[in-house]
Each structure stands twice: as structure tokens, then as C-alpha cells.
Amino acid sequence: MTSADPAGRRDGAGAGAARAGRYLDVPLWPWARPPDGPQHLPRRCPAGHQLEPGQLQETPNQDYGVRELVCRHCETQPDGSGRWALVDPSVDAQVTEDRVQPRRLQLVVIPPTIRAGVGLIQLRWGTTIYGQVELSLCPIDRCGLLLDLHVEVRHRRRGVGRVLAHAAAARGTGFAWSANPPEDPGAAAFWAKIATPRAPASPCSHQEAAGLRIEPRWPRWWEKP
Ligand SMILES: [Zn+2]
Ligand SMILES: [Zn+2]
């Protein structure tokens, strides 16, 4: 957690723009910005509050280089700050290495070298990697496989995994998705919670030809305790 973080979240202090290994002070929420103008915001805050105009504010988050949502309901709760940084998980908002900016939270795509091979999407701030998702997409069968989803330990519980899962899903909209979570029950429960695809991993012939070998560990992994 925060102040007990052994790596020291406040090291470097100040605005912290040059700080290595930035801590995600404001949690993240995936939100694809619709094209209909700046006033379009989520109808519910991530904590579930129904939002009316005036109970919600949008401000820029200078540290992350993204927009931030403030919920007036959450702000009054004793435990919550009521702030979330909005990260657009849509394909148009994902960038390749050559478009990485040094001081901005971005989803960075590392495409597979062969069709239906394994690609990566990382959530990064410059060279800092908060987590990454490993996936394979077959454009012929229109199927997607979620192979791994890893969030760095010191950046967990800040919404990174959810953003990455949405970013992966966005690359295969309308695809039949399946997943192969790690053996750890906690990880499987996390995958189920953030709405990763609930189907046992089933690679197509192209994905197998691309070298994917999967031993489905748990046929119905999302039902594990
Ligand atoms: Zn709220
Ligand atoms: Zn295929």
C-alpha cells in the first residue's frame, strides 16, 4: 500500500515528472472517449454512483497526461478520494513504440511478428511499465486468446489490469475470445473480476501453426473460488 510502499512512492517529490517508476497515485478507469464532444462522460462513477450533471467533474491529470474524473458522491466518503484517471483503451488510442511520449500514460502495442502469433499491449509512462497483456488474434477465424495479464506488484489495485483487459478486447471486437489464466487461484479470481473472456483457451489451427501450445488448465476457471 501507499506510504508503506518499500520503493517509496514519494521519492523524488515535487511534481515528480522525472521520477523513475512512478506510483499511480490516482487509480485508473478504462473509458473510451466517444466522438460526440467533450461533455460526454460516464453515466456512473466506477464506484457505482449514478451521475447527474454537476456531480461529476472532469479535469486534466497533468502527471499522467490524461483526463481525470471526480465524483462528488465519492469525494464525501471517508475512504475514497473519488478521483479516477480515464485511460482510453480503444485501438485508436493505442500506440506503437515510435509514438511513445516520455511523460504520458499510454497503451503501447508490440505486434506479433507472424499472423496469429503472440502480441503484447503494455501500459506505460515513458519507459516505466505498469503491466502488460499477452494476446493472440486470428483474423481468419476471428478468435482471440488472452494468454497472460501481468501487473507489477507495486502497481496493483490501481486499475491497471482492467485497463489492459479492455485494451486487449478492443483489438478483437466481435471476435470469439477465450483465455488461459495462470494457475494461481487469486489470479484467476482477478481475471474473472475484470471481465476477461469466460471461455477455456481454444486456439485455432492458425494460432497453433504460429507456435501456440496451450494446455487448458481449468476448463471453467472463472468459477474457481
Ligand atoms: Zn462515486
Ligand atoms: Zn485461425
Side-chain angles (χ1 to χ4, degrees):
M1 281 293 288
T2 57
S3 57
D5 183 349
R9 63 183 285 197
R10 287 297 180 190
D11 54 328
R19 196 167 18 136
R22 299 172 51 80
Y23 186 85
L24 294 168
D25 294 280
V26 179
L28 312 179
W29 191 252
W31 179 252
R33 187 162 195 80
D36 63 348
Q39 295 310 312
H40 193 116
L41 288 165
R43 295 231 168 83
R44 282 177 183 279
C45 89
H49 294 122
Q50 190 90 38
L51 299 170
E52 305 294 332
Q55 288 163 343
L56 177 83
Q57 196 192 328
E58 190 193 19
T59 58
N61 182 306
Q62 308 286 4
D63 278 351
Y64 298 172
V66 299
R67 298 163 311 122
E68 184 179 303
L69 193 69
V70 183
C71 171
R72 295 288 173 223
H73 294 292
C74 287
E75 255 192 331
T76 61
Q77 305 296 313
D79 56 336
S81 73
R83 298 163 68 206
W84 290 270
L86 301 176
V87 179
D88 188 344
S90 59
V91 172
D92 287 347
Q94 300 175 19
V95 302
T96 44
E97 192 69 48
D98 54 311
R99 287 171 55 210
V100 171
Q101 296 176 27
R103 293 175 186 181
R104 186 168 177 193
L105 203 58
Q106 286 178 303
L107 286 160
V108 182
V109 179
I110 300 163
T113 49
I114 46 168
R115 187 184 68 187
V118 177
L120 285 178
I121 306 173
Q122 300 175 326
L123 183 69
R124 287 175 37 183
W125 190 84
T127 54
T128 300
I129 303 172
Y130 298 101
Q132 64 181 31
V133 60
E134 222 178 274
L135 67 156
S136 161
L137 297 169
C138 174
I140 297 158
D141 294 300
R142 293 179 65 77
C143 62
L145 261 177
L146 194 66
L147 297 163
D148 194 24
L149 177 62
H150 176 78
V151 179
E152 292 298 322
V153 174
R154 67 179 300 222
H155 300 301
R156 288 183 184 166
R157 306 187 69 81
R158 311 306 289 166
V160 175
R162 190 181 296 271
V163 166
L164 288 168
H166 280 246
R171 298 210 77 86
T173 305
F175 280 37
W177 278 89
S178 61
N180 197 38
E183 223 158 314
D184 169 45
F190 173 64
W191 282 42
K193 184 173 158 235
I194 60 172
T196 48
R198 297 188 173 199
S202 48
C204 71
S205 58
H206 309 100
Q207 288 168 324
E208 284 180 344
L212 267 79
R213 295 283 176 273
I214 291 173
E215 306 263 332
R217 283 178 282 252
W218 302 339
R220 295 178 70 78
W221 55 267
W222 54 95
E223 290 176 355
K224 290 278 172 183

